[in-house]
Amino acid sequence: MHALVDPKAPVTAALIEAIGVPAVLLDPQGVIQALSPTAPALVTALAKGKPLALVMRDPDLIDAIEQVSRHGGRRAVELIERVPVERTFRIHIAALAGSGWRRAVLLTFEDLSEQRMTERMRVDFVANASHELRTPLASVLGFIETLQGPARNDAAARDRFLAIMREQGLRMARLVDDLLSLSRIELRAHLAPETPVDLSSIAREILDSLVLMAREREVTLKLDVPQQPVTVAGDRDELLRLMENLVENAIKYGQRGGEVGITVGISGEEASISVRDDGPGIAPEHLPRLTERFYRVDTAASREAGGTGLGLAIVKHIVLRHRGRLTIESVVGQGATFRAILPRLLGRPINDL
């Protein structure tokens, strides 16, 4: 004989609230009666007194809860959320003993996001690396065979070939570095950063680090930042990489002898990083695909500039991890503006400066 369980009893609620894993207790009508402390961090809209069906609208989940509440037993449902970032959960549903034609239900959440992302990354990394490394590797092997054969005693050819081989080797190293960076960012996409970071400080740091590169291209860097800190919840290293990629692209593909504008702005509860160049601009048909891996508007120009085709993909994933959005505006012949828009962190001190 099962003991009766009242989901509204203080002891029952206290037990749920003491559980270390994400857990939700529903009464027989499907209304949330108790939450473990980690549950709202996983699904932010969860709150006591709310019907779960209004928070998590997945039909398979709602149906499974209904069946368990009516007939008892246990079920497990795998749920994929795609907003704000893709996350995968396995939700375990168990009926609690009770009276009446419906039972209280306990949900426990198992976050599979990192596991699924790791599996996908492993497949993507092998496919991308093998495809992109094939050309420079074939080039290096070809030069080695030539140096071992016809050009064995040709000093001028040897020096020329070794210089090309070095460039190809550096290209492969950059490619592997970017692939690893992208994989690390994707792996943590479901974990939103929480550290206060000042975007103005990052902009000044990037300006100082890229001034020599700009000088080589005779490009003027113009910085416009507010006097007060512009604070977001972020990962400082990733935000540095984001701005570095955008400014480097503007220097490489903008007009030689032109100007690159870097602006940090505030609009209500949002902050933005904008990088503008005065280059040839980008045709409208290319804009939706610019952040795809290895997508290049001009493949030859990209490789000549030392690009790997991954810079904007890295930027996009950093922005998504920070729960922001990336906009690209361009008119052919009038340059392009890349803008990362992030939620501001209001009323918090900056601890990373």
Short mmCIF file of all heavy atoms in Angstrom, two decimals, residues 266-289:
data_model
loop_
_atom_site.label_atom_id
_atom_site.label_comp_id
_atom_site.label_asym_id
_atom_site.label_seq_id
_atom_site.Cartn_x
_atom_site.Cartn_y
_atom_site.Cartn_z
N ILE A 266 25.59 52.41 -26.57
CA ILE A 266 24.57 51.99 -25.60
C ILE A 266 23.21 52.39 -26.14
O ILE A 266 23.02 53.50 -26.64
CB ILE A 266 24.80 52.67 -24.23
CG1 ILE A 266 26.14 52.28 -23.63
CG2 ILE A 266 23.68 52.32 -23.27
CD1 ILE A 266 26.49 53.07 -22.37
N SER A 267 22.25 51.46 -26.05
CA SER A 267 20.87 51.76 -26.43
C SER A 267 19.95 51.02 -25.49
O SER A 267 19.75 49.80 -25.62
CB SER A 267 20.61 51.34 -27.89
OG SER A 267 19.26 51.58 -28.24
N GLY A 268 19.40 51.73 -24.50
CA GLY A 268 18.52 51.10 -23.53
C GLY A 268 19.23 50.02 -22.74
O GLY A 268 20.25 50.28 -22.09
N GLU A 269 18.73 48.80 -22.82
CA GLU A 269 19.31 47.68 -22.07
C GLU A 269 20.31 46.89 -22.92
O GLU A 269 20.69 45.78 -22.55
CB GLU A 269 18.20 46.76 -21.57
CG GLU A 269 17.27 47.44 -20.57
CD GLU A 269 16.24 46.50 -20.01
OE1 GLU A 269 16.17 45.35 -20.50
OE2 GLU A 269 15.52 46.90 -19.08
N GLU A 270 20.73 47.45 -24.04
CA GLU A 270 21.67 46.76 -24.93
C GLU A 270 22.94 47.59 -25.13
O GLU A 270 22.91 48.82 -25.08
CB GLU A 270 21.03 46.47 -26.28
CG GLU A 270 19.88 45.49 -26.22
CD GLU A 270 19.28 45.22 -27.59
OE1 GLU A 270 19.29 46.12 -28.43
OE2 GLU A 270 18.79 44.09 -27.81
N ALA A 271 24.04 46.87 -25.35
CA ALA A 271 25.31 47.49 -25.72
C ALA A 271 25.72 46.94 -27.08
O ALA A 271 25.31 45.84 -27.46
CB ALA A 271 26.38 47.19 -24.68
N SER A 272 26.52 47.70 -27.81
CA SER A 272 26.90 47.23 -29.14
C SER A 272 28.36 47.54 -29.43
O SER A 272 28.93 48.52 -28.92
CB SER A 272 26.02 47.87 -30.22
OG SER A 272 26.21 49.28 -30.27
N ILE A 273 28.96 46.68 -30.25
CA ILE A 273 30.29 46.87 -30.79
C ILE A 273 30.13 46.95 -32.30
O ILE A 273 29.63 46.00 -32.92
CB ILE A 273 31.22 45.70 -30.45
CG1 ILE A 273 31.32 45.48 -28.94
CG2 ILE A 273 32.60 45.90 -31.05
CD1 ILE A 273 31.98 44.16 -28.57
N SER A 274 30.50 48.07 -32.90
CA SER A 274 30.37 48.23 -34.35
C SER A 274 31.75 48.46 -34.97
O SER A 274 32.56 49.23 -34.44
CB SER A 274 29.47 49.42 -34.69
OG SER A 274 28.18 49.25 -34.15
N VAL A 275 31.99 47.77 -36.08
CA VAL A 275 33.24 47.96 -36.83
C VAL A 275 32.87 48.27 -38.28
O VAL A 275 32.19 47.47 -38.94
CB VAL A 275 34.14 46.70 -36.76
CG1 VAL A 275 35.40 46.92 -37.59
CG2 VAL A 275 34.50 46.39 -35.31
N ARG A 276 33.30 49.44 -38.75
CA ARG A 276 32.94 49.90 -40.09
C ARG A 276 34.20 50.07 -40.93
O ARG A 276 35.21 50.60 -40.46
CB ARG A 276 32.21 51.25 -39.98
CG ARG A 276 31.95 51.95 -41.31
CD ARG A 276 31.41 53.37 -41.07
NE ARG A 276 32.22 54.11 -40.11
CZ ARG A 276 33.38 54.69 -40.41
NH1 ARG A 276 33.90 54.59 -41.63
NH2 ARG A 276 34.04 55.37 -39.46
N ASP A 277 34.14 49.59 -42.18
CA ASP A 277 35.26 49.81 -43.11
C ASP A 277 34.76 50.57 -44.33
O ASP A 277 33.55 50.74 -44.52
CB ASP A 277 35.90 48.48 -43.51
CG ASP A 277 34.97 47.59 -44.33
OD1 ASP A 277 34.52 48.01 -45.41
OD2 ASP A 277 34.69 46.45 -43.89
N ASP A 278 35.69 51.04 -45.15
CA ASP A 278 35.31 51.75 -46.38
C ASP A 278 35.80 50.98 -47.61
O ASP A 278 36.26 51.55 -48.59
CB ASP A 278 35.88 53.18 -46.38
CG ASP A 278 37.37 53.22 -46.11
OD1 ASP A 278 37.99 52.13 -46.05
OD2 ASP A 278 37.93 54.31 -45.96
N GLY A 279 35.68 49.66 -47.53
CA GLY A 279 36.12 48.79 -48.61
C GLY A 279 35.10 48.70 -49.74
O GLY A 279 34.19 49.53 -49.85
N PRO A 280 35.22 47.66 -50.58
CA PRO A 280 34.35 47.53 -51.75
C PRO A 280 32.91 47.16 -51.43
O PRO A 280 32.05 47.19 -52.30
CB PRO A 280 35.02 46.42 -52.57
CG PRO A 280 35.77 45.61 -51.56
CD PRO A 280 36.24 46.59 -50.53
N GLY A 281 32.63 46.80 -50.18
CA GLY A 281 31.28 46.39 -49.82
C GLY A 281 31.00 44.95 -50.19
O GLY A 281 31.82 44.27 -50.83
N ILE A 282 29.83 44.48 -49.80
CA ILE A 282 29.46 43.08 -50.01
C ILE A 282 28.11 43.04 -50.70
O ILE A 282 27.15 43.69 -50.25
CB ILE A 282 29.38 42.33 -48.65
CG1 ILE A 282 30.71 42.47 -47.90
CG2 ILE A 282 29.03 40.86 -48.86
CD1 ILE A 282 30.62 42.11 -46.43
N ALA A 283 28.00 42.25 -51.76
CA ALA A 283 26.74 42.13 -52.49
C ALA A 283 25.67 41.49 -51.61
O ALA A 283 25.97 40.64 -50.77
CB ALA A 283 26.95 41.31 -53.76
N PRO A 284 24.40 41.88 -51.78
CA PRO A 284 23.32 41.40 -50.90
C PRO A 284 23.20 39.88 -50.84
O PRO A 284 22.86 39.34 -49.78
CB PRO A 284 22.06 42.04 -51.51
CG PRO A 284 22.54 43.21 -52.27
CD PRO A 284 23.91 42.86 -52.77
N GLU A 285 23.48 39.20 -51.96
CA GLU A 285 23.29 37.74 -51.95
C GLU A 285 24.28 37.02 -51.05
O GLU A 285 24.06 35.86 -50.66
CB GLU A 285 23.39 37.18 -53.38
CG GLU A 285 24.74 37.38 -54.05
CD GLU A 285 24.82 38.65 -54.88
OE1 GLU A 285 24.02 39.58 -54.60
OE2 GLU A 285 25.67 38.72 -55.78
N HIS A 286 25.39 37.69 -50.70
CA HIS A 286 26.40 37.06 -49.84
C HIS A 286 26.11 37.26 -48.36
O HIS A 286 26.59 36.48 -47.52
CB HIS A 286 27.79 37.61 -50.16
CG HIS A 286 28.29 37.27 -51.53
ND1 HIS A 286 28.54 35.98 -51.92
CD2 HIS A 286 28.59 38.07 -52.58
CE1 HIS A 286 28.98 35.99 -53.18
NE2 HIS A 286 29.01 37.23 -53.59
N LEU A 287 25.37 38.30 -48.00
CA LEU A 287 25.22 38.68 -46.59
C LEU A 287 24.67 37.56 -45.71
O LEU A 287 25.20 37.33 -44.61
CB LEU A 287 24.34 39.93 -46.47
CG LEU A 287 24.93 41.22 -47.05
CD1 LEU A 287 23.94 42.37 -46.90
CD2 LEU A 287 26.24 41.58 -46.36
N PRO A 288 23.62 36.82 -46.12
CA PRO A 288 23.09 35.79 -45.22
C PRO A 288 24.05 34.64 -44.95
O PRO A 288 23.89 33.91 -43.98
CB PRO A 288 21.84 35.27 -45.97
CG PRO A 288 21.52 36.32 -46.97
CD PRO A 288 22.82 36.93 -47.35
N ARG A 289 25.08 34.47 -45.79
CA ARG A 289 25.96 33.31 -45.66
C ARG A 289 27.35 33.64 -45.10
O ARG A 289 28.19 32.76 -44.97
CB ARG A 289 26.13 32.63 -47.03
CG ARG A 289 24.81 32.15 -47.64
CD ARG A 289 25.06 31.26 -48.83
NE ARG A 289 25.82 30.08 -48.46
CZ ARG A 289 26.36 29.23 -49.33
NH1 ARG A 289 26.24 29.47 -50.63
NH2 ARG A 289 27.04 28.17 -48.92
#
